[in-house]
Amino acid sequence: MAEKKEKLYLELQMEELKAAHADAAGDNTAPKNNDKVNSKNAEIAKMYEDAAEYEANLKGFEEELEIVNANTLKDIAAALVQKFPNEERDYAQELKVIVETGWAHLVDVEKTHPKEQLELIKATEFGDVVEKLNAAYPEYNGDFETDVRNFLVKRWENLIAITQEHIKQELAEIKTTGLKPKYVKRVYEQFHGIVK
């Protein structure tokens, strides 16, 4: 019987301990991060905003380059639209402008191609450029498809390189404040609720 009383007594003590602990925990329900800490984190997070935007752009450019490399020229625009359905870009027009600009350089600056080729490119839809060039210039020593693809790849490689340089500059700017970029990035992600 004494054992039973002792067991009941211990259970009561445990319940009281749990209740006391719950009351203490209830007193600490106020957030540990006060307004001062939150405003400090907001300032630190703001330092990383441009770098985060550049990182997002870089990821997009790398994915676009993968699509350019993985698809036939005719399918690139459709593949880009499929991969990025929320983008409000006319990929076919963008690709056409890239090729026109590159070919204009060959015609006007390097003077290695006739102006008629550029006129043909301007008058043709992007997906049909290589086919029309091959038909109009069967004696061409090069490969029109390779030339067109090179312009596209070069453009995305340039975008990637420029964006990487911007990221480096942003991180260097963060270092000048005396903070480590990794720490600032972590605060930015925590502040914005980004889970990796």
Side-chain angles (χ1 to χ4, degrees):
M1 191 77 158
E3 277 183 33
K4 218 175 195 184
K5 282 185 179 180
E6 190 174 316
K7 192 173 181 182
L8 273 173
Y9 180 71
L10 287 174
E11 285 177 10
L12 283 173
Q13 276 186 327
M14 187 58 105
E15 284 178 28
E16 284 177 9
L17 193 61
K18 284 180 185 176
H21 184 65
D23 288 344
D27 292 343
N28 289 335
T29 56
K32 292 181 182 180
N33 293 339
N34 59 25
D35 290 341
K36 192 174 184 181
V37 171
N38 282 337
S39 68
K40 185 72 171 170
N41 284 348
E43 287 176 34
I44 293 171
K46 189 166 180 55
M47 295 169 68
Y48 202 79
E49 283 179 359
D50 288 341
E53 187 176 330
Y54 287 129
E55 287 174 348
N57 289 342
L58 178 62
K59 185 175 186 260
F61 293 148
E62 289 171 340
E63 288 175 1
E64 289 173 351
L65 179 58
E66 283 178 28
I67 290 169
V68 167
N69 284 326
N71 290 280
T72 63
L73 290 176
K74 281 184 172 255
D75 297 335
I76 292 173
L80 287 167
V81 169
Q82 183 180 2
K83 177 71 176 180
F84 305 104
N86 297 329
E87 289 286 329
E88 295 179 11
R89 293 163 58 186
D90 183 350
Y91 286 109
Q93 184 59 32
E94 275 186 45
L95 297 169
K96 182 176 168 62
V97 169
I98 294 167
V99 174
E100 286 177 10
T101 305
W103 223 271
H105 179 78
L106 294 176
V107 171
D108 299 332
V109 178
E110 293 187 21
K111 304 206 184 291
T112 56
H113 291 67
K115 190 170 185 105
E116 294 77 24
Q117 287 180 353
L118 179 58
E119 296 306 320
L120 179 65
I121 290 169
K122 287 181 178 181
T124 307
E125 291 294 319
F126 173 76
D128 300 327
V129 166
V130 172
E131 189 178 309
K132 295 251 177 131
L133 285 169
N134 282 330
Y137 300 95
E139 74 286 349
Y140 182 63
N141 291 337
D143 181 5
F144 287 119
E145 184 166 349
T146 301
D147 295 342
V148 169
R149 187 175 296 279
N150 286 341
F151 287 131
L152 301 178
V153 169
K154 188 72 173 162
R155 188 230 184 208
W156 265 278
E157 286 176 347
N158 286 340
L159 288 173
I160 289 169
I162 290 167
T163 307
Q164 287 171 334
E165 190 58 37
H166 284 306
I167 292 169
K168 284 181 189 174
Q169 290 171 354
E170 289 298 323
L171 297 181
E173 198 172 304
I174 290 170
K175 284 180 184 177
T176 63
T177 66
L179 296 173
K180 292 185 177 183
K182 284 184 178 181
Y183 167 74
V184 175
K185 181 177 184 176
R186 190 172 61 244
V187 170
Y188 172 85
E189 289 171 348
Q190 289 172 347
F191 187 78
H192 291 288
I194 300 169
V195 180
K196 295 234 173 179

